Amino acid sequence: MSLKDRIQQVEHRIQAACERSGRRRDDVNVVAVTKYVGLETTGMLLDEGIVHIGENRPQNAVPKWEALEGRGVWHFIGHLQTNKVRDVIGKFQYIHSLDRLSLAKELEKRAAAQGITVSAFLQVNVSGESSKHGVSPEEAADLLREIASYPHIRIIGLMTMAPIEDNPELTRPVFRGLRELRDRLNAQKITKEPLTELSMGMSGDFEVAIEEGATWVRLGTILVGKGEEM
Ligand SMILES: *Cc1c(COP(=O)(O)O)cnc(C)c1O
């Protein structure tokens, strides 16, 4: 299947999920995850009108970003080591994996030095799996309270990853949990502006995530395959 066809097929499924759940298509954004593919496919996605590009390793992402001269809007979606912040700051407008105070401090310092503001999602480990990064739901409020005083970080929402399931329906409680946590945090008025965004849903579970309120889905395999250059 061509890249164009894949994008179109995903688009239909997103639209159907929006219709099922009474949501507006415009409220759901797609981050095309290009970690499995090289420069060529990443460039083709941009040519097809994809705007948001997601990468999870600075050492792969930065050379791509440079070769593409920063075309598109770049999202850092993987675990971010503190000593890699200087490589990604100023290139990635969105960080989906803010999960600890030490990382927030480094992001604040580097963003301030460049005179920019970085948009971030607090990554929450809703499922409680030990293999997953992210703060526990109970820790989220305290961390948000701390980061709220950092002028160069704008926390726009929450991010989570659901367990890999053969039946995507089983991921629903995790996505619902993230939405309910966001609503509780907003009711507590911890952040200056309400948290509007939910980054959740990948190739195997994005429709359930949309039904539960995702505003950003992160799609790799379903768009670009796995490890193949097209
Ligand atoms: C790889 C990755 C994705 C995309 O995964 P697919 O299942 O290939 O769609 C989404 N989010 C994160 C954090 C990832 O690392």
Side-chain angles (χ1 to χ4, degrees):
M1 205 190 302
S2 74
L3 190 59
K4 211 189 205 75
D5 289 341
R6 287 185 191 226
I7 293 172
Q8 214 163 58
Q9 209 165 65
V10 167
E11 178 56 33
H12 288 314
R13 288 174 61 179
I14 292 173
Q15 280 175 15
C18 285
E19 271 163 35
R20 277 198 299 281
S21 50
R23 299 193 58 210
R24 294 180 35 215
R25 171 64 190 88
D26 287 354
D27 292 340
V28 181
N29 300 282
V30 174
V31 178
V33 176
T34 51
K35 66 186 184 194
Y36 310 117
V37 295
L39 193 56
E40 197 183 340
T41 304
T42 309
M44 282 164 66
L45 284 164
L46 292 163
D47 293 341
E48 291 293 340
I50 294 278
V51 174
H52 299 283
I53 300 293
E55 286 275 343
N56 69 338
R57 286 179 200 278
Q59 59 269 39
N60 297 339
V62 170
K64 250 186 227 172
W65 186 94
E66 282 166 352
L68 293 164
E69 298 172 328
R71 274 176 71 200
V73 176
W74 289 61
H75 296 246
F76 196 85
I77 60 170
H79 181 65
L80 183 52
Q81 288 174 282
T82 308
N83 65 5
K84 293 283 165 29
V85 167
R86 63 162 173 235
D87 299 332
V88 303
I89 202 82
K91 296 187 173 71
F92 289 81
Q93 278 167 254
Y94 294 84
I95 307 288
H96 288 241
S97 47
L98 179 50
D99 62 355
R100 59 198 190 278
L101 194 58
S102 58
L103 178 58
K105 280 188 176 147
E106 183 68 12
L107 283 168
E108 170 61 26
K109 185 175 103 185
R110 300 274 174 191
Q114 291 197 12
I116 58 170
T117 301
V118 62
S119 296
F121 298 81
L122 193 71
Q123 183 171 354
V124 183
N125 184 356
V126 177
S127 71
E129 288 173 287
S130 58
S131 60
K132 296 259 192 293
H133 291 288
V135 295
S136 70
E138 295 73 33
E139 293 165 326
D142 282 347
L143 188 52
L144 277 178
R145 229 173 254 121
E146 286 278 346
I147 302 172
S149 65
Y150 290 10
H152 300 88
I153 300 178
R154 199 163 73 97
I155 305 273
I156 57 175
L158 306 179
M159 179 274 220
T160 202
M161 293 175 76
I164 306 293
E165 302 282 2
D166 290 333
N167 175 4
E169 192 53 38
L170 297 176
T171 62
R172 191 178 295 279
V174 171
F175 298 141
R176 183 172 295 166
L178 194 71
R179 168 165 52 83
E180 290 174 350
L181 176 63
R182 179 199 59 186
D183 295 345
R184 283 200 301 280
L185 293 167
N186 283 339
Q188 290 175 257
K189 295 200 174 16
I190 292 165
T191 47
K192 279 169 244 156
E193 298 158 46
L195 304 170
T196 54
E197 307 302 314
L198 292 172
S199 170
M200 56 188 198
M202 313 193 339
S203 290
D205 54 24
F206 68 98
E207 289 152 304
V208 177
I210 290 170
E211 288 168 15
E212 293 299 331
T215 61
W216 296 86
V217 290
R218 308 178 308 269
L219 304 178
T221 316
I222 200 170
L223 283 176
V224 295
K226 210 162 197 166
E228 62 200 79
E229 266 300 343
M230 288 190 291

